[in-house]
Coordinates of all heavy atoms in Angstrom, one line a residue:
Chain A
N13 N 76.8 79.1 -202.2 CA 77.8 79.2 -201.2 C 77.4 78.3 -200.0 O 76.3 78.4 -199.4 CB 77.8 80.7 -200.7 CG 78.8 80.9 -199.6 OD1 78.7 80.3 -198.6 ND2 79.7 81.8 -199.8
R15 N 78.5 78.0 -196.8 CA 78.2 78.6 -195.5 C 76.8 79.3 -195.5 O 76.1 79.2 -194.6 CB 79.2 79.7 -195.2 CG 80.5 79.1 -194.5 CD 81.6 80.1 -194.5 NE 82.0 80.5 -195.9 CZ 82.0 81.8 -196.3 NH1 81.6 82.7 -195.5 NH2 82.4 82.0 -197.5
K16 N 76.5 79.9 -196.6 CA 75.2 80.6 -196.7 C 74.1 79.5 -196.7 O 73.0 79.7 -196.1 CB 75.1 81.4 -198.0 CG 74.2 82.5 -198.0 CD 74.5 83.5 -199.1 CE 73.3 84.5 -199.2 NZ 73.0 85.2 -198.0
L21 N 69.3 77.6 -194.6 CA 68.3 76.5 -195.1 C 68.2 75.3 -194.1 O 67.1 74.7 -194.2 CB 68.9 76.0 -196.4 CG 69.2 77.1 -197.4 CD1 69.9 76.6 -198.6 CD2 67.9 77.8 -197.8
K59 N 63.9 63.8 -199.5 CA 64.9 64.8 -199.9 C 64.9 66.0 -198.9 O 65.9 66.5 -198.4 CB 64.7 65.3 -201.3 CG 65.5 66.5 -201.7 CD 65.3 66.9 -203.2 CE 65.6 68.3 -203.5 NZ 65.6 68.6 -205.0
W64 N 66.4 69.9 -194.7 CA 66.0 70.7 -193.6 C 66.5 70.3 -192.3 O 66.3 71.0 -191.3 CB 64.5 70.9 -193.6 CG 64.0 71.7 -194.8 CD1 64.8 72.5 -195.6 CD2 62.7 71.9 -195.3 NE1 64.0 73.1 -196.5 CE2 62.7 72.8 -196.4 CE3 61.4 71.4 -194.9 CZ2 61.6 73.1 -197.1 CZ3 60.3 71.7 -195.6 CH2 60.3 72.6 -196.7
S337 N 54.0 69.1 -202.9 CA 53.7 70.2 -202.0 C 53.4 69.7 -200.6 O 53.9 70.3 -199.6 CB 52.5 70.9 -202.6 OG 52.2 72.1 -202.0
K340 N 56.4 68.7 -198.4 CA 57.2 69.7 -197.7 C 56.5 70.2 -196.4 O 57.2 70.4 -195.4 CB 57.3 70.9 -198.7 CG 58.2 70.6 -199.9 CD 58.0 71.5 -201.0 CE 58.9 71.2 -202.2 NZ 58.6 71.9 -203.4
R348 N 60.4 69.7 -187.2 CA 60.1 70.5 -185.9 C 59.8 69.5 -184.8 O 60.4 69.7 -183.7 CB 58.8 71.3 -186.1 CG 59.1 72.6 -186.8 CD 57.8 73.3 -187.2 NE 58.1 74.2 -188.3 CZ 58.6 75.4 -188.1 NH1 58.8 75.9 -186.9 NH2 58.9 76.2 -189.1
E359 N 52.0 81.6 -186.2 CA 52.8 82.0 -187.3 C 52.8 80.9 -188.4 O 52.7 81.1 -189.6 CB 54.2 82.4 -186.9 CG 55.0 83.3 -187.8 CD 56.4 83.6 -187.3 OE1 56.7 83.2 -186.2 OE2 57.1 84.1 -188.1
N363 N 50.5 80.1 -192.3 CA 51.2 80.1 -193.5 C 51.4 78.7 -194.1 O 52.3 78.4 -194.8 CB 52.6 80.7 -193.3 CG 52.5 82.2 -193.1 OD1 52.0 82.9 -194.0 ND2 52.8 82.7 -191.9
N367 N 50.0 73.9 -203.3 CA 49.5 74.2 -204.6 C 49.6 73.1 -205.6 O 50.3 72.1 -205.4 CB 50.1 75.5 -205.2 CG 51.6 75.4 -205.3 OD1 52.0 74.5 -206.1 ND2 52.4 76.2 -204.7
T383 N 45.6 75.4 -212.5 CA 46.4 75.7 -211.3 C 45.5 75.9 -210.1 O 44.4 76.5 -210.3 CB 47.4 76.9 -211.5 OG1 47.9 77.3 -210.2 CG2 46.7 78.1 -212.1
N385 N 45.4 76.8 -205.7 CA 46.1 77.1 -204.4 C 45.2 76.8 -203.2 O 44.1 77.2 -203.3 CB 46.5 78.6 -204.3 CG 47.6 79.0 -205.3 OD1 47.3 79.1 -206.5 ND2 48.8 79.1 -204.8
H398 N 42.4 79.7 -204.6 CA 42.2 80.3 -205.9 C 42.4 79.1 -206.9 O 43.2 78.2 -206.7 CB 43.3 81.3 -206.2 CG 43.2 82.0 -207.5 ND1 42.3 83.0 -207.8 CD2 43.7 81.7 -208.7 CE1 42.3 83.3 -209.0 NE2 43.2 82.6 -209.7
K403 N 43.2 80.2 -220.8 CA 42.0 80.6 -221.6 C 42.0 79.9 -222.9 O 40.9 79.6 -223.4 CB 42.2 82.1 -221.9 CG 41.8 82.9 -220.6 CD 41.7 84.4 -220.9 CE 41.2 85.1 -219.7 NZ 41.7 86.4 -219.5
N419 N 61.3 70.6 -214.0 CA 61.5 71.2 -212.7 C 60.8 70.4 -211.6 O 61.4 70.2 -210.5 CB 61.1 72.7 -212.6 CG 62.2 73.5 -213.2 OD1 63.3 73.8 -212.6 ND2 62.1 73.9 -214.5
L420 N 59.6 69.9 -211.9 CA 59.0 69.1 -210.9 C 59.8 67.8 -210.6 O 59.9 67.4 -209.5 CB 57.5 68.8 -211.4 CG 56.7 67.8 -210.5 CD1 56.5 68.5 -209.1 CD2 55.3 67.6 -211.1
D423 N 62.9 68.9 -208.6 CA 62.6 69.2 -207.2 C 62.2 68.0 -206.3 O 62.5 68.0 -205.1 CB 61.5 70.3 -207.1 CG 61.3 70.8 -205.7 OD1 62.3 71.1 -205.0 OD2 60.1 70.9 -205.2
Chain B
D49 N 60.0 83.8 -187.7 CA 60.5 82.4 -187.8 C 60.9 82.2 -189.3 O 60.0 82.0 -190.1 CB 59.5 81.4 -187.3 CG 59.9 80.0 -187.4 OD1 61.0 79.7 -188.1 OD2 59.3 79.1 -186.8
T51 N 62.1 79.8 -190.9 CA 61.8 78.5 -191.5 C 60.4 78.5 -192.1 O 60.1 77.7 -192.9 CB 62.0 77.4 -190.4 OG1 61.0 77.5 -189.4 CG2 63.4 77.3 -189.8
R54 N 60.9 79.8 -195.4 CA 61.5 78.7 -196.2 C 60.4 77.7 -196.6 O 60.4 77.3 -197.8 CB 62.5 78.0 -195.3 CG 63.2 76.8 -195.9 CD 64.2 76.2 -194.9 NE 63.4 75.4 -194.0 CZ 64.0 74.7 -192.9 NH1 65.3 74.8 -192.8 NH2 63.3 74.1 -192.1
S58 N 59.3 77.1 -200.4 CA 59.5 75.8 -201.0 C 58.4 75.4 -202.0 O 58.5 74.5 -202.8 CB 59.7 74.7 -200.0 OG 58.5 74.4 -199.3
Q59 N 57.2 76.1 -201.8 CA 56.1 75.8 -202.6 C 56.2 76.4 -204.0 O 55.4 76.2 -204.9 CB 54.8 76.2 -202.0 CG 54.5 75.6 -200.6 CD 54.3 74.1 -200.7 OE1 54.3 73.5 -201.7 NE2 54.2 73.4 -199.5
Q62 N 58.5 73.6 -207.1 CA 58.0 72.6 -208.1 C 58.3 73.1 -209.5 O 58.6 72.4 -210.4 CB 56.5 72.3 -207.9 CG 56.1 71.6 -206.7 CD 55.7 72.5 -205.6 OE1 56.4 73.4 -205.3 NE2 54.6 72.1 -204.9
C63 N 58.2 74.4 -209.7 CA 58.4 75.0 -211.0 C 59.7 75.8 -211.1 O 60.4 75.8 -212.2 CB 57.3 76.1 -211.4 SG 55.7 75.3 -211.4
T66 N 64.6 73.7 -206.6 CA 64.9 73.7 -205.2 C 65.7 74.9 -204.8 O 66.7 75.1 -205.4 CB 65.6 72.4 -204.8 OG1 64.9 71.3 -205.4 CG2 65.8 72.2 -203.3
Y67 N 65.3 75.6 -203.8 CA 66.0 76.9 -203.4 C 66.1 77.8 -204.6 O 67.1 78.5 -204.7 CB 67.3 76.6 -202.7 CG 67.2 75.8 -201.4 CD1 68.0 74.8 -201.1 CD2 66.2 76.2 -200.5 CE1 67.9 74.1 -199.9 CE2 66.1 75.5 -199.3 CZ 66.9 74.4 -199.0 OH 66.7 73.7 -197.9
V71 N 65.9 74.5 -213.4 CA 66.6 73.8 -214.6 C 65.9 74.2 -215.9 O 64.7 74.6 -215.9 CB 66.6 72.3 -214.4 CG1 67.5 71.9 -213.2 CG2 65.2 71.7 -214.3
S97 N 43.1 91.2 -216.2 CA 42.6 89.9 -216.7 C 43.8 88.9 -216.4 O 44.9 89.1 -216.9 CB 42.4 90.0 -218.1 OG 42.4 88.7 -218.7
H104 N 47.7 83.5 -211.8 CA 46.8 82.8 -211.0 C 47.5 82.3 -209.7 O 47.0 82.4 -208.6 CB 46.3 81.6 -211.7 CG 45.2 81.9 -212.8 ND1 43.9 82.2 -212.4 CD2 45.4 82.1 -214.1 CE1 43.3 82.5 -213.6 NE2 44.1 82.5 -214.6
Q105 N 48.7 81.8 -209.8 CA 49.5 81.3 -208.6 C 49.6 82.5 -207.6 O 49.4 82.3 -206.4 CB 50.8 80.8 -209.0 CG 50.8 79.3 -209.4 CD 50.6 78.4 -208.3 OE1 50.9 78.7 -207.1 NE2 49.9 77.3 -208.5
Q113 N 52.5 87.0 -197.0 CA 53.2 85.8 -197.5 C 54.1 86.0 -198.7 O 55.2 85.5 -198.8 CB 52.1 84.7 -197.9 CG 51.5 84.1 -196.7 CD 50.2 83.2 -197.0 OE1 49.7 83.4 -198.1 NE2 49.9 82.4 -196.1
R116 N 57.2 87.4 -197.3 CA 58.0 86.4 -196.6 C 58.8 85.6 -197.7 O 60.0 85.3 -197.5 CB 57.1 85.4 -195.8 CG 56.7 85.9 -194.5 CD 55.8 84.9 -193.8 NE 55.4 85.3 -192.5 CZ 56.1 84.9 -191.4 NH1 57.2 84.1 -191.5 NH2 55.8 85.2 -190.2
S123 N 67.4 86.3 -199.3 CA 68.5 85.9 -198.4 C 69.4 84.9 -199.1 O 70.5 84.6 -198.7 CB 67.9 85.2 -197.2 OG 67.4 83.9 -197.4
K125 N 70.5 85.3 -202.3 CA 71.2 85.9 -203.3 C 72.7 85.9 -203.0 O 73.1 86.2 -201.9 CB 70.8 87.4 -203.4 CG 69.8 87.7 -204.5 CD 69.6 89.2 -204.7 CE 70.0 90.0 -203.5 NZ 69.7 91.3 -203.3
D134 N 84.3 83.4 -202.1 CA 84.3 82.0 -202.6 C 85.5 81.7 -203.5 O 86.1 80.7 -203.4 CB 83.0 81.7 -203.4 CG 81.8 81.5 -202.4 OD1 82.1 81.3 -201.2 OD2 80.7 81.4 -202.9

Side-chain angles (χ1 to χ4, degrees):
Chain A
N13 176 302
R15 274 167 298 124
K16 204 162 169 56
L21 311 169
K59 168 175 162 175
W64 289 347
S337 189
K340 290 162 181 168
R348 279 169 200 278
E359 199 183 352
N363 289 299
N367 63 56
T383 167
N385 290 75
H398 184 82
K403 286 192 172 143
N419 278 282
L420 178 61
D423 187 44
Chain B
D49 181 344
T51 64
R54 180 183 73 183
S58 73
Q59 302 294 359
Q62 290 96 314
C63 298
T66 309
Y67 295 137
V71 293
S97 159
H104 287 278
Q105 273 292 329
Q113 287 170 339
R116 278 177 176 271
S123 77
K125 262 189 338 187
D134 283 348

